[in-house]
Amino acid sequence: MEIKSTSSYRPGKATPATAKSTARSPKARVANAPRLDTFESSAAKPLGEHLLSASKDGLSLHDPIPSPGELALYEPDEAEKDGIDWENIENYVSHIHITIDNADDLQRSVHHMASMYVAAKTSLHHQFADREDILSEKMARLEQLMARAKNRLVSSYQNSVGSFYEQMGNHGVASELGKEFSDAIDKRVEEIESLAKERGILEKKDDVSYSFLSVSLEIMSLNNWIFNPDAEASSLKELEAAGFTAKAATKMNANEWGLMGDGELGIHLAVQYMKMAHTLNHWGIGEKMSSLLLNSFETYMSRQAGDARFHSQGTFAPYQYTLKQYQKTGDIEKAFLTSAHKYLDDRFFSEFIKAPNQTGMSHATRYRLSLNQFLHSLEYGSSADILQSITGNGIYSMSAYA
């Protein structure tokens, strides 16, 4: 059936409206000028020639008109529905950043990024295994986002932690640490994916979403590496230790050191050094990395105390002696007591000092309590507790009341 328009459109001329004559109108009106309150078409056929009549060029509809039930609504391409929270991934990539303050928890950032990546990659491969074009396009987007995240992690680590060690005299180390960090990220992503496959986490299941898979992978990685630091040595663990050492150094309160005599200062700095060395050894950090971290830690303490005072006979001699005792025995408390008896007088052991809370104890007792707390934290506590013990903030303020 053919339906054609049988009506025609012919624009008519507007009829001028009449107006009452006034005494002034003949003089004010120009002959044949158009009225301002009228409308005349500027074209005889404003809509062109196609809607004039049912001609061969007119509007027509061929074939029967479909019934309402046969009209299909537009649906988005199913390929767009991948279940990936792209907005969340992009937001994470835009904000991920390593600083001195969070570099001691480096692995969590890496594991979170890796878990998102492996989860999204797995989900996409499960959904679009038979649509190579769509899979290729979405994987390209994912790879681009992860490359940006990795670049932000590495560059911010170099600019914060790497910069600290550069300033301590280790020229070129920031670039070396950045390269090592980049390689460590790639390796950890592979390890997470491999471990997840072994445990069947990446098997295709209809009821497993991207979000659920991402959380499952992160929990697995936390349990396997972060909550079990002795599982294996890794570059990430050493890079995190570098962040921890830099943070501990910069958090120390050098104002307290001015309240100490030269002998006590030397022993105090030796105690802090021994705590750091004991921590790195407990974490299984390699000799090369430990040497870099401890030398930089010592350099920082020297600068904060004042290089002249640190290297003076009154300070440096007890400092060196204490460390030699530690190298012999590996016992922090024994090294401390031996050095204190050699370089400090009896008042350090016998004179009670009252703190503002009225708690009284000798300097020696206070140090021994701090060492016991440190060793307990190392065995059972968190890195935050260890950090607080090494920085010593507030622990030795009793010296102000001597």
Side-chain angles (χ1 to χ4, degrees):
M1 179 182 70
E2 184 176 45
I3 301 177
K4 291 191 176 183
S5 172
T6 57
S7 62
S8 62
Y9 177 82
R10 286 184 170 79
K13 292 185 178 180
T15 304
T18 58
K20 293 182 178 179
S21 299
T22 62
R24 299 171 58 186
S25 60
K27 297 179 180 180
R29 186 178 301 164
V30 179
N32 299 323
R35 286 280 304 275
L36 296 179
D37 58 348
T38 63
F39 169 79
E40 292 185 11
S41 173
S42 60
K45 300 172 183 177
L47 299 181
E49 300 285 352
H50 295 289
L51 294 179
L52 293 178
S53 64
S55 66
K56 63 183 180 68
D57 296 320
L59 176 66
S60 63
L61 175 65
H62 301 279
D63 300 323
I65 299 176
S67 64
E70 295 175 349
L71 295 175
L73 296 175
Y74 169 76
E75 289 287 347
D77 189 346
E78 288 296 321
E80 298 176 8
K81 300 179 180 180
D82 53 27
I84 308 298
D85 192 345
W86 294 105
E87 183 178 355
N88 180 62
I89 295 176
E90 290 180 355
N91 184 61
Y92 172 79
V93 170
S94 299
H95 292 86
I96 190 172
H97 194 65
I98 301 298
T99 67
I100 290 291
D101 284 336
N102 67 15
D104 58 331
D105 203 13
L106 185 70
Q107 293 192 77
R108 287 182 187 271
S109 296
V110 174
H111 287 197
H112 184 62
M113 182 195 77
S115 297
M116 288 195 303
Y117 170 75
V118 174
K121 174 184 174 182
T122 302
S123 296
L124 292 175
H125 277 273
H126 285 170
Q127 294 179 73
F128 306 110
D130 56 347
R131 293 291 305 274
E132 185 62 33
D133 55 335
I134 299 175
L135 178 61
S136 177
E137 179 182 346
K138 289 182 178 291
M139 279 302 300
R141 180 183 182 185
L142 178 64
E143 295 291 353
Q144 183 182 45
L145 285 170
M146 290 303 105
R148 282 174 51 200
K150 178 182 171 182
N151 181 65
R152 285 182 62 87
L153 279 173
V154 173
S155 61
S156 59
Y157 184 84
Q158 287 182 241
N159 294 333
S160 55
V161 177
S163 179
F164 170 84
Y165 291 101
E166 290 270 354
Q167 293 170 18
M168 295 304 109
N170 306 288
H171 302 297
V173 75
S175 177
E176 293 176 14
L177 290 175
K179 175 65 167 58
E180 189 172 347
F181 190 23
S182 178
D183 294 341
I185 291 173
D186 292 338
K187 183 178 180 181
R188 184 49 51 89
V189 172
E190 292 175 1
E191 291 171 339
I192 288 176
E193 188 168 12
S194 177
L195 183 61
K197 286 180 179 178
E198 286 180 16
R199 299 185 177 182
I201 297 176
L202 302 185
E203 291 179 2
K204 187 174 182 180
K205 301 172 184 176
D206 294 337
D207 58 342
V208 175
S209 66
Y210 154 76
S211 299
F212 180 84
L213 187 57
S214 180
V215 171
S216 299
L217 289 171
E218 190 158 5
I219 291 174
M220 179 202 73
S221 62
L222 288 173
N223 288 329
N224 194 71
W225 284 285
I226 297 179
F227 296 155
N228 186 24
D230 298 328
E232 62 173 300
S234 70
S235 297
L236 274 179
K237 187 165 66 175
E238 292 200 339
L239 291 164
E240 188 173 77
F244 176 89
T245 304
K247 182 176 181 178
T250 56
K251 295 295 182 182
M252 286 190 291
N253 184 4
N255 293 330
E256 296 176 340
W257 303 351
L259 302 171
M260 303 174 185
D262 288 349
E264 184 185 354
L265 176 61
I267 294 172
H268 171 72
L269 296 180
V271 167
Q272 303 313 89
Y273 182 98
M274 289 188 295
K275 286 180 179 179
M276 182 60 72
H278 212 72
T279 299
L280 298 177
N281 182 64
H282 181 78
W283 287 347
I285 305 304
E287 184 177 347
K288 181 181 178 180
M289 180 63 82
S290 291
S291 178
L292 168 67
L293 305 191
L294 290 173
N295 288 339
S296 300
F297 187 76
E298 182 180 63
T299 299
Y300 188 86
M301 290 195 302
S302 173
R303 292 180 183 179
Q304 292 301 106
D307 285 332
R309 187 184 182 196
F310 180 80
H311 291 287
S312 67
Q313 184 64 21
T315 301
F316 199 61
Y319 175 81
Q320 284 189 311
Y321 182 81
T322 306
L323 295 186
K324 286 180 180 179
Q325 303 310 305
Y326 176 67
Q327 289 173 353
K328 289 179 182 179
T329 64
D331 189 317
I332 297 180
E333 185 173 356
K334 184 178 289 186
F336 158 71
L337 289 173
T338 301
S339 184
H341 279 295
K342 179 178 176 64
Y343 287 97
L344 303 177
D345 57 38
D346 290 341
R347 290 187 305 147
F348 185 78
F349 297 91
S350 60
E351 188 174 283
F352 273 47
I353 307 299
K354 281 191 175 182
N357 62 2
Q358 300 302 309
T359 301
M361 62 182 70
S362 68
H363 286 306
T365 301
R366 188 66 177 172
Y367 274 90
R368 293 179 67 182
L369 177 61
S370 171
L371 288 172
N372 288 331
Q373 290 173 334
F374 163 74
L375 293 172
H376 184 273
S377 296
L378 197 62
E379 195 67 33
Y380 306 105
S382 64
S383 61
D385 296 328
I386 300 170
L387 182 78
Q388 178 61 33
S389 182
I390 294 175
T391 59
N393 293 337
I395 293 178
Y396 301 102
S397 59
M398 283 189 177
S399 297
Y401 302 93

